[in-house]
Amino acid sequence: MDINDNIESPLKLKVSFNKLLKQYEILAKGDDGFIAEKASRILKIAEDFPELRDGFSDTTILTEMENEIKAILNDTFNPLLTKNEIKTASVPLHNLIFNSSERFKNIIKNAGKGFQLQIKNMPEDDTYIIACTIILSFCYGYDLNFKRPFYYEIPDKNGILRYYKILYNADFCEIIPTEKAKKITPEDYDELLDNFENIELWKEKFPPNSHVFKGFVISNIFDVTDDQSISNIKTSLIGEGQEKDECFTENFHEIFESLLGVKDIKVGFSAYNKTEGTFNAIFGFGIKSFLLGSEDSKSCKEAFCKWSYNRVLKEKKYFSVSDVDKIFEKSKGHAPHITTLHKQGIKSAIIAPIANDDGLMGILEIVSYTPKVLNSINANKLIDIMPFIVSSVERSINEEENLIEAIIQQECTSIHPSVKWRFVQEAKNYIKNQMGGNDASFKKIAFEQVYPLYGQIDIKGSSEARNKATKQDLILQLKAVKHIIEKVSEKESLPIYQQFIYQINSFRKGLGDNFQVDSEQQISAFFKQDIEPLLEHLYEYDELKVDIDGYYESIDSKINVLYKNRKDYDETIAKINMEMASLLDKKQIEAQNMYPHYFERFKTDGVEHNMYIGESITKKDSFNPIYLYNLRLWQLQVMCEMENTYYQMQSDFPVALDVASMILVFNQPLTISFRMDEKQFDVDGTYNARYEIVKKRVDKAYIKGTNERVTQKGKITIVYSQKQDELEYLGYVKFLQSKHYLDNDIEILELQDLQAVTGLKAIRVSVLYHKNEDDKAFYTYDDLMKEIKA
């Protein structure tokens, strides 16, 4: 078999001892007789077997001349050191090893059957190019400084991965160009410098088998497991996002196994909360705390005994438990951390505090299910890695704080993507000024010449529905209390009971006649001050216990009142808001894709939304009024869809409520600015403030000369002030009528004057509904209600 079979390389490999033999030729002529005689014997072997000098690629010769090769390499592989040194003789960029020390042989033997020796960090795709760099160095004198450290990863007899660094001795090599070799010019060299990954270019300059390698290399190998383990731990901890990788935890366990020389160990973490004085589990992929066991959090003083508490939290020093079972018996279960470890079947452990100058941040937990393998001796190895773990935890804490801040920003004070660029721009200016030593202030953020759009889908009669639900709950609660008092008064006729019944009847009459704003507070005070002490006293009567228990079961423990009808009402409002807001958000994605604009919505008794569109928001010279008209049509259409969606799901709500939709048209551009104190945008200037006044009051406006509200269930109301707005929206209405979104009953209405606002008008038109998404028939609101109730 030829060494070069199945290999593409610019080097044709030949095993040769020519350069080594030349060294023996010099020794044979030296003054030291003993050395000269030995050199002559080795040279005699080379004379008898000239292929050892000339070179060969047939691997069978290595077997046939095994003894002769050993004799030639005797000084290189000193028999006295063979059990100590890790050394091999081989050819470069090839797994062929034809001579090795006894220690290397034992390492390979302990690795087990089927183990294939391979250089860990030698990419197969790079071997051709690396061979070319060797030629550049040997034949042309270019030092490319490509000397990377190469490693073997070899498991020991216990299955623990150990790392070995390879140092090559190339003193006995020579490279000879063949007729295929091309002359490498300085221009070629310059081109190659910037094209390391261009394999085709390298093959062009260094064709396959264009040079002959004659000789062998000696690999001096060193066990660097500790250093490499520390490096691997550092790499694992520094790499961002690796903790989320599925293999991270498993690899981390293996790295610690190599560092401590112990098989089957596990690594856990727990975070320290200084404010609450607790250890908390870290919620990440595969990360567990053995100190907490099955719990998510535990008080520090409950997690440790007094000695271990002081050791970790006060002294910030690690400790080991080499035999958990023995200490558990000795402590008789009074050492909490020992008990927790014992319950999990852990036999030995190392507990190490993760602390910086500011104090404790967390606990590193290394555990094994074998006694005594973790102890105070190998625990000392943690000294070298703790700085990296501390740095990683510090970074994680900062990342968590940033993530929390980002979530708060997103959920509570989010900046809409359409205007985020302006905030980023101002933040960069702030940092620039701050770093330059100048006064740093976050300047006002405003957008000029933007067109506003406002819409709302409002729950009609929400106050009346809330009052009705409150009355029903109070009546039920009063009725239940009255029943208990009447029952006890049959047994014990006290005037005070009659007084309570009279008061209950008065409250019930008042709820029926006229529900006042303070009625709920008065009755709640009556329950708290009079009824609760009474029921506590009456609980001594066995015959009343069932009734009193039943009463308290009907009371909501959080607000201490009967909360049945009000709960249905609140759940209905919450569901309506959630469904309408969700639909609007989904539709907004489509609108943003049409043309970017600012959007915000609010949940009240219904859902309101603001939109602003204009050149200053998009940050590019692209705005055209057509995008404003498109957004207005989109808004009107989506409001119709929201109405339809609401009534299709109305039967799923605990309480039947109606909604009314309204759009406010404002045809003049205005300026909006971000209010830092309120964390939201608002209009700027006195003139623009008129728009905000109209927004707040218009849904309660009446049609001129009547007591009829302009917003009505089953209809969409479009409020405006200019004739051109009326013509524009009538065009949209006619279009949506052709699409069966709207009915044909268009009304043009004048509104009564609002405070500081006059001249408002409205287009009002009925929405067409479907019973469900598959229904192709169209219904007015009244028809739909009949169909739903049918």
Side-chain angles (χ1 to χ4, degrees):
M1 179 179 170
D2 194 288
I3 299 173
N4 299 288
D5 286 350
N6 304 317
I7 294 176
E8 185 180 36
S9 172
L11 293 173
K12 186 175 177 63
L13 301 174
K14 283 189 175 184
V15 178
S16 169
F17 303 98
N18 180 50
K19 291 194 74 172
L20 177 62
L21 293 170
K22 285 183 177 180
Q23 294 293 322
Y24 278 115
E25 288 174 356
I26 296 171
L27 294 175
K29 298 174 182 178
D31 296 334
D32 190 318
F34 177 78
I35 294 176
E37 182 183 351
K38 185 176 182 181
S40 297
R41 287 201 305 271
I42 290 172
L43 291 170
K44 179 67 172 64
I45 296 171
E47 288 176 16
D48 294 341
F49 301 97
E51 57 265 54
L52 296 176
R53 187 186 286 273
D54 297 337
F56 58 89
S57 58
D58 185 354
T59 56
T60 58
I61 295 176
L62 293 170
T63 305
E64 293 169 359
M65 298 187 181
E66 182 178 357
N67 293 330
E68 289 78 10
I69 291 172
K70 279 186 178 180
I72 292 174
L73 296 176
N74 183 266
D75 289 333
T76 310
F77 288 79
N78 193 315
L80 296 176
L81 301 175
T82 189
K83 293 184 179 180
N84 180 271
E85 292 182 334
I86 310 173
K87 184 183 286 188
T88 66
S90 61
V91 290
L93 310 177
H94 200 293
N95 290 328
L96 174 69
I97 293 174
F98 54 82
N99 201 65
S100 60
S101 65
E102 287 298 318
R103 185 176 175 191
F104 179 82
K105 291 176 182 176
N106 286 331
I107 289 171
I108 299 301
K109 180 181 177 182
N110 290 333
K113 290 183 179 180
F115 175 75
Q116 295 290 325
L117 187 67
Q118 193 170 4
I119 297 173
K120 176 65 179 175
N121 54 337
M122 173 81 78
E124 191 174 333
D125 295 341
D126 291 349
T127 54
Y128 194 101
I129 296 173
I130 293 171
C132 296
T133 64
I134 294 171
I135 296 170
L136 281 171
S137 178
F138 267 82
C139 300
Y140 296 95
Y142 290 118
D143 185 7
L144 290 175
N145 195 23
F146 191 75
K147 295 178 181 178
R148 290 174 56 209
F150 292 112
Y151 295 90
Y152 290 133
E153 287 185 2
I154 307 174
D156 65 13
K157 61 184 177 182
N158 296 317
I160 298 170
L161 205 60
R162 303 196 68 82
Y163 302 90
Y164 298 89
K165 185 176 182 179
I166 309 164
L167 295 180
Y168 291 108
N169 183 337
D171 290 345
F172 308 113
C173 305
E174 51 189 324
I175 295 177
I176 306 161
T178 69
E179 65 280 358
K180 294 182 180 180
K182 295 182 178 181
K183 181 69 176 176
I184 302 299
T185 66
E187 291 76 18
D188 292 328
Y189 175 71
D190 290 343
E191 185 180 4
L192 291 168
L193 283 178
D194 293 323
N195 287 279
F196 178 80
E197 295 181 353
N198 188 345
I199 183 69
E200 296 306 321
L201 178 63
W202 288 89
K203 286 182 179 180
E204 178 191 331
K205 307 296 183 185
F206 301 93
N209 299 323
S210 57
H211 295 75
V212 174
F213 171 88
K214 281 183 62 176
F216 67 99
V217 292
I218 295 174
S219 300
N220 292 289
I221 304 170
F222 303 91
D223 189 335
V224 292
T225 301
D226 286 356
D227 292 339
Q228 188 62 33
S229 296
I230 292 170
S231 176
N232 289 345
I233 289 171
K234 180 180 177 181
T235 302
S236 297
L237 293 172
I238 288 175
E240 288 192 21
Q242 289 195 38
E243 297 86 349
K244 298 182 181 72
D245 188 89
E246 190 170 335
C247 300
F248 170 78
T249 308
E250 184 178 344
N251 292 341
F252 208 55
H253 295 327
E254 291 178 357
I255 294 168
F256 270 89
E257 287 177 357
S258 296
L259 176 68
L260 300 175
V262 179
K263 185 65 176 172
D264 294 330
I265 64 173
K266 300 293 181 186
V267 182
F269 296 93
S270 51
Y272 173 60
N273 186 320
K274 184 178 180 180
T275 305
E276 298 180 5
T278 58
F279 292 125
N280 302 321
I282 297 172
F283 297 102
F285 191 92
I287 298 175
K288 179 178 179 177
S289 171
F290 300 97
L291 187 63
L292 299 176
S294 59
E295 297 183 49
D296 292 334
S297 180
K298 188 181 288 186
S299 165
C300 299
K301 291 186 177 179
E302 292 177 358
F304 285 129
C305 66
K306 187 175 181 181
W307 179 88
S308 57
Y309 177 89
N310 289 329
R311 178 79 173 175
V312 172
L313 276 85
K314 304 295 185 184
E315 300 175 27
K316 298 181 182 65
K317 294 180 180 179
Y318 64 83
F319 67 89
S320 64
V321 184
S322 61
D323 193 331
V324 172
D325 290 348
K326 182 178 178 181
I327 300 299
F328 177 73
E329 292 178 10
K330 190 175 179 180
S331 66
K332 297 180 180 179
H334 294 302
H337 61 295
I338 301 296
T339 302
T340 302
L341 296 175
H342 182 265
K343 283 181 180 178
Q344 297 171 78
I346 293 166
K347 304 300 182 183
S348 58
I350 298 171
I351 306 295
I354 304 169
N356 59 10
D357 294 339
D358 296 327
L360 185 69
M361 296 182 291
I363 302 291
L364 171 67
E365 312 154 3
I366 306 172
V367 303
S368 172
Y369 298 97
T370 305
K372 301 180 182 179
V373 295
L374 295 174
N375 49 66
S376 63
I377 308 301
N378 53 19
N380 281 282
K381 290 191 174 185
L382 296 180
I383 294 172
D384 295 321
I385 65 165
M386 286 310 292
F388 306 122
I389 293 176
V390 168
S391 296
S392 176
V393 172
E394 286 175 334
R395 190 191 72 196
S396 296
I397 290 172
N398 290 334
E399 287 177 351
E400 183 181 35
E401 289 175 351
N402 291 338
L403 179 60
I404 290 170
E405 185 67 26
I407 290 171
I408 292 172
Q409 286 290 331
Q410 178 180 323
E411 298 298 325
C412 305
T413 58
S414 61
I415 303 300
H416 193 264
S418 63
V419 295
K420 187 176 180 180
W421 66 271
R422 183 65 186 85
F423 287 84
V424 172
Q425 186 183 71
E426 189 54 42
K428 286 181 178 178
N429 290 335
Y430 182 93
I431 294 170
K432 180 182 177 182
N433 290 330
Q434 192 176 54
M435 298 297 286
N438 302 319
D439 290 338
S441 61
F442 206 89
K443 295 180 180 177
K444 179 180 177 180
I445 291 176
F447 297 94
E448 299 177 349
Q449 291 292 108
V450 296
Y451 292 89
L453 295 91
Y454 172 78
Q456 69 173 36
I457 182 163
D458 187 45
I459 298 171
K460 296 294 289 180
S462 57
S463 298
E464 292 83 355
R466 168 75 189 186
N467 288 343
K468 181 181 178 182
T470 303
K471 284 168 60 176
Q472 289 173 332
D473 281 345
L474 293 175
I475 289 169
L476 285 174
Q477 193 170 356
L478 289 167
K479 185 178 179 181
V481 170
K482 183 180 178 182
H483 171 73
I484 295 171
I485 296 174
E486 286 177 340
K487 196 169 183 178
V488 72
S489 61
E490 292 176 1
K491 179 181 179 181
E492 195 176 23
S493 182
L494 298 179
I496 189 64
Y497 296 153
Q498 299 305 314
Q499 161 65 23
F500 284 146
I501 292 171
Y502 169 78
Q503 200 163 352
I504 289 169
N505 290 335
S506 297
F507 281 135
R508 289 183 64 178
K509 186 176 186 302
L511 290 172
D513 294 343
N514 187 18
F515 183 77
Q516 301 290 332
V517 175
D518 61 346
S519 298
E520 184 177 0
Q521 287 74 22
Q522 289 179 7
I523 297 173
S524 295
F526 169 66
F527 284 130
K528 185 171 184 62
Q529 295 168 14
D530 297 324
I531 299 303
E532 286 183 13
L534 173 64
L535 295 181
E536 186 178 347
H537 165 69
L538 296 180
Y539 200 73
E540 296 176 2
Y541 296 97
D542 291 338
E543 61 269 30
L544 294 177
K545 284 184 178 180
V546 174
D547 294 308
I548 295 173
D549 286 339
Y551 168 79
Y552 278 113
E553 284 173 7
S554 68
I555 300 300
D556 188 284
S557 58
K558 293 181 181 178
I559 56 177
N560 208 31
V561 295
L562 194 145
Y563 183 58
K564 180 181 181 298
N565 294 286
R566 277 172 289 187
K567 183 179 181 182
D568 289 342
Y569 170 82
D570 289 341
E571 286 182 355
T572 299
I573 296 294
K575 285 183 177 181
I576 292 171
N577 286 344
M578 182 179 69
E579 295 293 346
M580 295 298 99
S582 175
L583 175 61
L584 188 57
D585 289 345
K586 184 178 178 182
K587 292 292 183 180
Q588 244 295 299
I589 296 171
E590 301 171 6
Q592 290 292 342
N593 290 334
M594 295 176 195
Y595 191 82
H597 57 278
Y598 181 80
F599 169 79
E600 62 183 356
R601 59 157 174 76
F602 309 96
K603 297 177 184 177
T604 53
D605 280 354
V607 176
E608 304 174 41
H609 66 270
N610 287 319
M611 295 185 288
Y612 299 98
I613 187 169
E615 189 73 59
S616 59
I617 289 177
T618 52
K619 200 181 63 167
K620 56 185 177 181
D621 187 17
S622 64
F623 179 72
N624 186 285
I626 191 68
Y627 296 116
L628 169 63
Y629 305 147
N630 180 72
L631 192 59
R632 285 174 171 172
L633 175 59
W634 172 87
Q635 182 189 35
L636 181 56
Q637 181 173 320
V638 168
M639 295 292 283
C640 294
E641 292 179 14
M642 290 173 70
E643 281 262 353
N644 246 291
T645 301
Y646 171 76
Y647 282 110
Q648 285 171 14
M649 63 178 60
Q650 188 192 50
S651 58
D652 297 332
F653 299 142
V655 178
L657 295 171
D658 285 308
V659 295
S661 299
M662 185 203 73
I663 289 172
L664 174 62
V665 184
F666 196 80
N667 66 349
Q668 294 298 316
L670 44 73
T671 298
I672 59 171
S673 62
F674 190 74
R675 308 292 186 195
M676 291 296 180
D677 53 345
E678 298 175 4
K679 296 292 185 291
Q680 67 180 39
F681 277 99
D682 203 353
V683 297
D684 240 1
T686 306
Y687 172 74
N688 296 333
R690 180 174 179 270
Y691 173 70
E692 286 296 324
I693 294 171
V694 175
K695 271 171 50 178
K696 288 180 172 62
R697 299 173 180 170
V698 71
D699 66 317
K700 302 294 189 292
Y702 291 97
I703 298 171
K704 198 166 189 177
T706 72
N707 292 321
E708 181 185 345
R709 287 272 178 87
V710 68
T711 55
Q712 292 292 323
K713 60 189 178 185
K715 297 177 183 286
I716 284 194
T717 302
I718 305 162
V719 179
Y720 60 94
S721 61
Q722 302 294 321
K723 185 65 177 179
Q724 66 191 66
D725 298 332
E726 179 181 305
L727 296 175
E728 179 185 339
Y729 272 86
L730 284 174
Y732 301 152
V733 168
K734 288 179 180 179
F735 172 72
L736 293 180
Q737 285 173 336
S738 71
K739 298 287 184 181
H740 303 292
Y741 280 88
L742 297 170
D743 205 353
N744 294 319
D745 57 341
I746 299 175
E747 299 173 273
I748 306 295
L749 307 168
E750 287 188 39
L751 273 59
Q752 285 186 0
D753 294 342
L754 302 173
Q755 185 179 351
V757 180
T758 60
L760 291 179
K761 299 180 72 177
I763 299 171
R764 195 166 69 178
V765 60
S766 296
V767 179
L768 289 179
Y769 300 95
H770 307 283
K771 281 193 297 183
N772 53 62
E773 292 181 1
D774 298 325
D775 187 12
K776 300 304 179 185
F778 305 106
Y779 304 88
T780 64
Y781 172 81
D782 292 333
D783 293 335
L784 180 69
M785 291 300 102
K786 292 176 184 176
E787 287 288 332
I788 290 174
K789 294 173 182 177

